[in-house]
Amino acid sequence: MTLTKRQKQVLDYLVGFHNKNKYSPSYEEIAQALDLASLATVHKHVGTLERKGFIRRGYNQSRSIEVIQLPRSVRTEVIDRAVNELPLMGRIAAGKPLESVEDRETISLSDFTRSKNAFVLQVKGESMRDDHILDGDFIVVEPTQVANNGEIVVALVGGEEATLKRFYREPAGKIRLQPANSEMAPILVAASDLKIQGRVLGVLRKY
Amino acid sequence: MTLTKRQKQVLDYLVGFHNKNKYSPSYEEIAQALDLASLATVHKHVGTLERKGFIRRGYNQSRSIEVIQLPRSVRTEVIDRAVNELPLMGRIAAGKPLESVEDRETISLSDFTRSKNAFVLQVKGESMRDDHILDGDFIVVEPTQVANNGEIVVALVGGEEATLKRFYREPAGKIRLQPANSEMAPILVAASDLKIQGRVLGVLRKY
DNA sequence: GAGCGTAGGCGAATAACAAGCGAAAGTCAA
DNA sequence: TTGACTTTCGCTTGTTATTCGCCTACGCTC
């Protein structure tokens, strides 16, 4: 159940009043606080809040309004969001102080996966350095058997060695696995000797 | 069920608004936030989100949109696994077929944040290229006013321009902001002209 | 490339509901 | 019984949601 703006104001007042006085206000007092001229309006608000389950009260009993505590699920929701999604505040180097941002786009790991069963590997070695993937970085990998030219893949050469390289088709059914490091030579293998394990969707780095 | 970019923006706004106000926005307010001229468009988006099961609402009732949270049981399996945590399968370039993995370590965004209120910025420009941070990368930023030598910081120079640079203290109360790009010169400023906005905890890149 | 489905969009008219009023009548506990 | 409350009635006036017709753009299939 949700509240409208006005209903929330009424509820807030009820909570505040009770916190202060340990008893609940009369309709007259509520009307004054909310600048209402008619008790009928107050009555309607109170009725609505009761119907929606935010308060309880005794029929015809004065000052009998009780605020019902919110269940924990609300709190959990907030925390879960905070942990798993980070707000995207904008772009940097645009020349602005990046303060007040109302957009509230968010980033979560799912933005990096798309397919449901991606996994992460930690990179060892410098073979992709010139592609800005460093020793210790984490790569998000989508399992697949095929790849397109130029994509970064995790591949198994000759059934033994797993490597991280860029993938290129060459003439005569050959595949070239190209490291991004001028000190390393490309690997040329027959397509039959190569088993692609996955394609790289993203990179994560932790300082 | 998946969302389009626009739909996600709408949902993000709904979540943000409700977190802030504890009640939901009117269609008018949604339209303004998303820069839409017609309420009909908002209505269609809201309808779609409802059909896809992300929100619930009362027919003809104002401000009645509720964002649906998955029950805890489902959440643990689906979200925590697929969305927020990815299995860490091991290290690559170690020479193994990376199949059978029993370790089941996981990576989640919270591994990148530590502090509770980190946020994300998208990098524009090439100023940190030699540090392997590229145009379009996302950086995870922890808000802070201080930094240590050599850390990458988001800083405001002269109250106007926000930049991403490495931070170094120099003699005589000067600060040097060092880009990681041989074509760019370092910036030297008095400490009083510099306001640090945050420190970079990590980098996320999406291909 | 024509045809089709879906997402995203616009404005304006219409329908529902929320919020308000005043006055009178009803309840309850001291 | 009385004073301090709460309920109820009919009616008005915002505020919001819904709907209709029509448009563009994109990706897919035949």
Side-chain angles (χ1 to χ4, degrees):
Chain A
M1 265 306 178
T2 59
L3 295 176
T4 67
K5 199 171 183 170
R6 202 68 169 129
Q7 287 160 15
K8 169 114 200 318
Q9 287 171 9
V10 176
L11 184 59
D12 283 345
Y13 174 71
L14 292 177
V15 171
F17 189 99
H18 191 272
N19 274 350
K20 190 175 254 172
N21 303 302
K22 303 297 178 203
Y23 60 88
S24 58
S26 71
Y27 285 17
E28 186 68 45
E29 288 165 330
I30 299 174
Q32 284 210 292
L34 299 187
D35 217 25
L36 291 172
S38 169
L39 297 183
T41 307
V42 176
H43 185 257
K44 204 179 278 184
H45 277 304
V46 170
T48 308
L49 287 176
E50 186 177 29
R51 180 168 49 75
K52 292 191 174 178
F54 288 86
I55 61 175
R56 194 181 326 136
R57 91 207 142 111
Y59 184 86
N60 254 326
Q61 275 166 234
S62 59
R63 297 176 183 276
S64 62
I65 296 172
E66 271 178 89
V67 177
I68 295 177
Q69 276 305 343
L70 294 166
R72 173 170 339 165
S73 57
V74 177
R75 237 166 308 167
T76 331
E77 183 189 3
V78 174
I79 292 175
D80 282 353
R81 284 245 168 216
V83 172
N84 301 319
E85 303 198 336
L86 298 177
L88 177 58
M89 309 274 286
R91 288 163 181 262
I92 192 176
K96 276 174 204 159
L98 57 96
E99 296 182 67
S100 62
V101 180
E102 290 299 326
D103 270 19
R104 283 213 78 70
E105 267 199 89
T106 60
I107 293 275
S108 85
L109 266 194
S110 61
D111 292 329
F112 285 80
T113 60
R114 288 203 280 287
S115 89
K116 287 290 169 182
N117 41 7
F119 58 93
V120 170
L121 292 174
Q122 192 168 21
V123 174
K124 209 176 156 187
E126 300 284 332
S127 73
M128 295 303 284
R129 180 171 196 92
D130 296 345
D131 269 338
H132 306 282
I133 299 176
L134 308 181
D135 186 49
D137 283 2
F138 301 90
I139 53 175
V140 180
V141 181
E142 171 190 40
T144 175
Q145 265 79 253
V146 298
N148 299 320
N149 268 347
E151 284 183 333
I152 302 176
V153 298
V154 175
L156 218 60
V157 182
E160 258 307 314
E161 190 130 355
T163 56
L164 182 66
K165 298 280 185 304
R166 278 195 187 270
F167 174 95
Y168 293 96
R169 273 174 214 289
E170 297 281 317
K174 293 270 186 180
I175 303 291
R176 175 164 51 96
L177 295 178
Q178 179 75 45
N181 187 324
S182 51
E183 291 167 18
M184 293 176 156
I187 300 176
L188 256 168
V189 290
S192 56
D193 285 341
L194 185 79
K195 223 178 141 194
I196 295 177
Q197 304 244 299
R199 150 191 20 225
V200 174
L201 295 180
V203 177
L204 315 175
R205 183 180 309 144
K206 207 159 76 174
Y207 289 115
Chain B
M1 264 307 179
T2 58
L3 294 177
T4 66
K5 192 171 183 174
R6 201 67 170 131
Q7 287 162 13
K8 177 153 189 303
Q9 285 172 8
V10 177
L11 186 59
D12 282 342
Y13 174 72
L14 293 177
V15 171
F17 190 100
H18 191 271
N19 274 350
K20 190 176 249 170
N21 301 303
K22 303 296 180 204
Y23 59 87
S24 57
S26 70
Y27 285 18
E28 184 72 43
E29 288 165 332
I30 299 173
Q32 283 206 294
L34 300 187
D35 218 25
L36 291 171
S38 170
L39 297 183
T41 307
V42 176
H43 188 257
K44 204 178 277 185
H45 278 303
V46 169
T48 309
L49 286 176
E50 186 177 29
R51 182 167 47 74
K52 292 191 175 179
F54 289 87
I55 62 174
R56 192 181 329 137
R57 79 200 216 293
Y59 183 86
N60 254 327
Q61 273 165 231
S62 57
R63 297 174 183 274
S64 64
I65 296 172
E66 265 179 282
V67 176
I68 295 183
Q69 60 197 97
L70 298 164
R72 187 68 196 157
S73 51
V74 180
R75 172 185 231 103
T76 328
E77 283 213 295
V78 176
I79 297 208
D80 283 354
R81 259 290 124 67
V83 174
N84 302 315
E85 302 196 339
L86 298 176
L88 177 57
M89 309 274 285
R91 288 166 178 261
I92 192 174
K96 274 175 205 161
L98 56 93
E99 294 183 67
S100 64
V101 179
E102 293 302 323
D103 272 18
R104 286 219 79 72
E105 264 197 273
T106 61
I107 293 275
S108 87
L109 264 195
S110 57
D111 293 331
F112 286 80
T113 60
R114 286 201 281 288
S115 88
K116 287 291 167 179
N117 43 7
F119 58 92
V120 170
L121 292 175
Q122 192 168 22
V123 174
K124 213 176 154 184
E126 299 284 331
S127 73
M128 295 302 285
R129 178 168 197 95
D130 296 345
D131 269 339
H132 307 283
I133 300 177
L134 307 181
D135 187 49
D137 283 2
F138 300 90
I139 53 176
V140 180
V141 181
E142 170 191 39
T144 175
Q145 265 80 254
V146 298
N148 299 320
N149 268 348
E151 284 183 333
I152 302 176
V153 298
V154 175
L156 219 59
V157 182
E160 258 306 315
E161 189 128 353
T163 56
L164 183 66
K165 298 279 187 302
R166 279 195 188 270
F167 173 93
Y168 293 97
R169 272 175 216 290
E170 297 280 316
K174 292 270 186 180
I175 303 291
R176 175 164 50 94
L177 294 178
Q178 180 74 45
N181 187 326
S182 50
E183 291 168 18
M184 293 175 155
I187 301 177
L188 256 169
V189 289
S192 56
D193 285 341
L194 185 79
K195 224 179 142 198
I196 296 179
Q197 304 241 300
R199 151 192 18 226
V200 174
L201 296 179
V203 177
L204 315 175
R205 184 180 308 143
K206 206 159 74 175
Y207 288 115

